[in-house]
Each structure stands twice: as C-alpha cells, then as structure tokens.
Amino acid sequence: MAQTKTKDMTRGSIPRLLLEFALPLMIGNVFQMLYNTVDSIVVGNFVGTQALAAVSSTTMITNMSVFFFNGFSIGGTVVIGKYFGAKDHKMLHRAVETIMAATFILCVLFTLGFLGGTDFMLNFMKTPADVFGQAAEYLRIYFAGVTGLLLYNMGSGILRAVGDTKRPLYFLILTSVLNIFLDLLFVLQFHMGIAGVAYATILAQFISAAATMAVLMRTDDIYWFSLKDLCLDRGILREVFRIGLPTAFQSVITSFSNIFVQSYINFFGATVMAGWGCYNKLDQFIMLPMQSMAMASTTFVAQNIGAREEQRADRGTAVSVGLSVLITGAIALSLFIGAEKAIQLFTSDRAVILSGASFIHMNTIFLMCNCVNHVLAGALRGRGDSMGPMVIMLFSFVLIRQIYLFIMTRFISNTPPTVGFGYPVGWTTCCILEILYFHIHWKHRAR
C-alpha cells in the first residue's frame, strides 16, 4: 500500500494536531470563499453598483444551499471518523460508498429545487426591481452548476474525516486562481457582465470536484471510492442523517432567517445593500478560523470517541476554543482598524464604503462569542449530539434575532445600524446558552 495521507488524532500533541488539521482547512476555506468574493470585487469595480448589489443580495440564498449540504457532510465526517478511530476499515469503506450514493441523489434534487425556486426566493427577499434581473441571472447559472460544489464538499469531507486536509487545499488554490482569471476574462474581454462571473465560478468548482473525486477513486488507501461498490446502507445512512440533518436543518433555517435580515436591509436601497453585502463578505472570511477549528474539533472528538478516549476528546475541545478565540481576535482587531480599506477592495463608491465600514465597527467585537458557539457545537456533533446545538442555534439565530428586529424596526428605530446589530444579539444569546448546555452535558457524562 502507498504511504497513507490519513492522520490519526487519537495520539500525539493536541494543539499540534488541531493546528495541523485546521490551518490547511482554514486556508482552503479562504480560497473557497474567494469564489463568490472575487465575483463581488470584479462586478463592483468593472460592472457597477447595481451589479454588486445583485451579487451581494444572492449571498444568503447561495449560502442556504451550501450550508444544508455541509450539514449532511458533517454527518458523514463524524460516521467515517468514528470508524477510522475504531480501525474498522470494512465499515469505513461501506460508509464512503453509502455517502457518495446519497450525494449523487442530492445533487439532482438541489439543482432542480433551487432552479425552480429562484424567483420565489428573490421576491421573498423583496429584491428591488433595479437589481432583480441580474440577481436572478446570477442565481440560475450558479445553481445549474451547483453539483461541482456539492461533490467537492462531500469528497473533501471524507478526506477530512481521516485527517487529510492538505490535498483539498491544493485543489482549491489551483481552481481559485483559475476562477480569478476566468472572471477577468469573461467580464473584461468578453463583456459578459454578471453572467461571466457566474460561469467562471461554476467552471472552477467543477474542476475542484473532479480533482477530489479522482483522489478518492484512484487511491488504494482505506477511504477509497468505487462506482461499482455504490450502495445505500440503511444503518449508516440513518446515522449520517441523525447527525447531519439537525445540523443541515439548523444551517438552512438560520440562513433562511438571514434572508429576513436581508429584506430589512433592502428597505434602505442599493447603497446600504452593497455596503451590507461587502461587510458580509468580510464577515464570512473572519468566521473561517472558528469554522475551521470547529471542523477540527468535530473530527478530533469523533476519532477519539471511536477510540474510547473520552478525556482526550474533552481536552481537545478546550484547546480548540482557546485557539479559535486567539486567532479570530487578532483578525478582528486588524479588520476593525482597517475597515474602510477593506471595503475599498469591493468598490470605490464612498457612500458604500462608509456603510460597510459602519457594520464592521459595530459587529466585529462580538465575534468572540461566535468562536465559542461554533467550536462547542462542533465538539458536540463529534460525539453524535446534533440536536442540542441545533435547538440552541435556532432559538438564538432565528427566534431571538427576528424578535429583536421586529421590535426595533417597528417600535424603536429602523436604521441600518439597528438592523445590523441583530447579528451580535443572536451570537451573544447563543454563546450563553451553549456554554450552559455544554457544561450540563459534561456533568451528565461525568456521572
């Protein structure tokens, strides 16, 4: 057998293992985020403010599809991680085949469902007429090629479960550079406008998916994938959905709730929409360290639970939280200081720059709460508990946030800052509840 690319996280230095796992994942996530962000930079600088507003207003919708599938992939990562930790290679291979079969089915369902629902979602968000056409065009092209994104995410999820985060990173670097080249080619040379950046995105995503599938199908390691072995094992699929569906449901509902937030922002017109969209692009980047540490925590805990190393799993969770706060805090401080410079990456429109910078100054300090939210949720999912994090996050990010927005905008003050502050309200509530839940959960295990 060739030298393995897997990483056994049941032995060795916990901080080193977590960082070795999370750093390639974090860099990879940065490049994956570049797909949509580069779209915004190109259209903002070379097409116009309305095109930027159109792309920005679609972010919540595209995220909703991605987040659902990421939730499903987390279920697969946990199941495979436990088999890997338990050294059960036969069941690991069967899990890979089951998860990929389900992925192919979901690709078809996602493509048809989102293509058919594009106009409904944009109307639901109260998208202004002057950006509706371009937003709809972008979404239809994006969802026509969403299969590439889904196959890459699940394939890389399988690799993450066995500790390999480096090769998905290499593929993303390659295709992100390609995406930038295609964006500029289609917009500046072929004058394709917003359609050009959409086509560039899906072409690059298909290439990353093909590279990841080639790794899984050509390897002779324990996680190999073969079309002739495709199956739907009910027991494995039930476990994947038991863990993944609550996570997916929570992600989709939270993202859907953010569409309500976008509808509040849309009330203030294209300038604030563009400023909010630029802030959200940067906010997604600053979330990457905590999301990467959460994924590291999920895999670390899953492998150690599979190996019956309970105390080591707990130590890994604590270290993950500390590393997430430290890294995110440093990035948040830099972004706070250079807020206007950061928004200028997307546009030269002074009003949009001031609008986006105001959201950054108001919200970034509260991101430390979100570090706790994501990492503790990841650790709980690694143990197979997805329901607790789902309930807490839905309560905080959906119910509390929507109650706040309704009361503030209807009875107190309907301004862009008060609407934007709905994010920190949800983060802080979730942080308090998640710490309490995790503490109670740990005490219950200790007994």
Side-chain angles (χ1 to χ4, degrees), residues 96 111 175 184 226 272-273 293 319 381 418 425 440:
V96 169
T111 301
T175 54
L184 295 173
S226 173
V272 175
M273 286 173 64
M293 290 308 304
V319 172
R381 289 170 187 141
T418 56
V425 168
I440 294 170

Side-chain angles (χ1 to χ4, degrees), residues 128-442:
D130 58 345
V131 301
F132 189 99
Q134 293 184 88
E137 181 181 19
Y138 181 87
L139 281 179
R140 290 193 182 100
I141 297 170
Y142 180 90
F143 285 127
V146 78
T147 292
L149 176 65
L150 303 186
L151 288 177
Y152 168 79
N153 282 347
M154 180 49 72
S156 62
I158 292 171
L159 294 175
R160 285 197 303 269
V162 297
D164 181 3
T165 57
K166 291 184 178 179
R167 282 181 294 183
L169 167 62
Y170 302 150
F171 301 148
L172 276 178
I173 292 174
L174 173 64
T175 54
S176 294
V177 172
L178 176 63
N179 182 53
I180 294 172
F181 170 76
L182 292 176
D183 270 346
L184 295 173
L185 177 68
F186 290 164
V187 172
L188 298 183
Q189 184 66 32
F190 297 152
H191 307 291
M192 295 173 65
I194 201 168
V197 296
Y199 282 120
T201 295
I202 65 172
L203 285 173
Q205 287 174 347
F206 270 114
I207 292 173
S208 64
T212 306
M213 289 297 102
V215 166
L216 294 176
M217 297 179 74
R218 293 182 179 181
T219 186
D220 58 356
D221 214 327
I222 57 176
Y223 52 84
W224 89 95
F225 163 60
S226 173
L227 289 173
K228 67 181 178 61
D229 292 340
L230 278 174
C231 63
L232 287 173
D233 185 296
R234 291 185 180 181
I236 292 174
L237 200 59
R238 188 182 304 114
E239 184 68 5
V240 169
F241 279 115
R242 185 185 70 80
I243 298 168
L245 272 185
T247 306
F249 181 74
Q250 170 250 306
S251 298
V252 169
I253 297 301
T254 300
S255 185
F256 189 73
S257 174
N258 288 338
I259 292 178
F260 282 96
V261 178
Q262 183 69 49
S263 70
Y264 283 101
I265 290 292
N266 290 352
F267 172 82
F268 301 107
T271 296
V272 175
M273 286 173 64
W276 176 254
C278 294
Y279 156 72
N280 267 297
K281 299 296 183 190
L282 295 168
D283 183 67
Q284 288 170 17
F285 274 107
I286 204 173
M287 293 279 192
L288 293 181
M290 67 185 78
Q291 291 170 348
S292 300
M293 290 308 304
M295 292 180 186
S297 179
T298 298
T299 299
F300 183 92
V301 170
Q303 286 193 16
N304 280 278
I305 292 300
R308 302 186 183 279
E309 294 284 350
E310 290 270 354
Q311 292 184 350
R312 182 176 171 85
D314 285 336
R315 291 197 301 272
T317 301
V319 172
S320 297
V321 172
L323 290 172
S324 177
V325 170
L326 183 64
I327 297 170
T328 303
I331 298 173
L333 179 61
S334 300
L335 184 59
F336 185 92
I337 293 171
E340 291 192 16
K341 294 288 186 183
I343 300 297
Q344 285 175 12
L345 290 171
F346 300 92
T347 181
S348 58
D349 188 316
R350 184 62 183 168
V352 174
I353 293 170
L354 293 175
S355 175
S358 69
F359 290 123
I360 292 175
H361 288 145
M362 181 174 57
N363 289 0
T364 49
I365 192 173
F366 294 93
L367 285 167
M368 302 307 103
C369 293
N370 230 11
C371 291
V372 178
N373 299 338
H374 283 276
V375 175
L376 289 188
L380 288 165
R381 289 170 187 141
R383 292 180 171 277
D385 179 7
S386 289
M387 290 299 295
M390 180 195 76
V391 172
I392 291 171
M393 289 184 169
L394 287 181
F395 176 79
S396 305
F397 296 160
V398 179
L399 183 61
I400 294 298
R401 185 175 289 162
Q402 295 306 321
I403 290 174
Y404 162 83
L405 288 171
F406 179 82
I407 293 174
M408 287 297 296
T409 58
R410 297 297 195 280
F411 305 110
I412 301 176
S413 175
N414 185 19
T415 64
T418 56
V419 172
F421 196 68
Y423 275 14
V425 168
W427 297 338
T428 306
T429 303
C430 184
C431 181
I432 295 170
L433 294 177
E434 195 126 337
I435 290 173
L436 290 173
Y437 178 81
F438 192 84
H439 178 72
I440 294 170
H441 187 77
W442 183 87

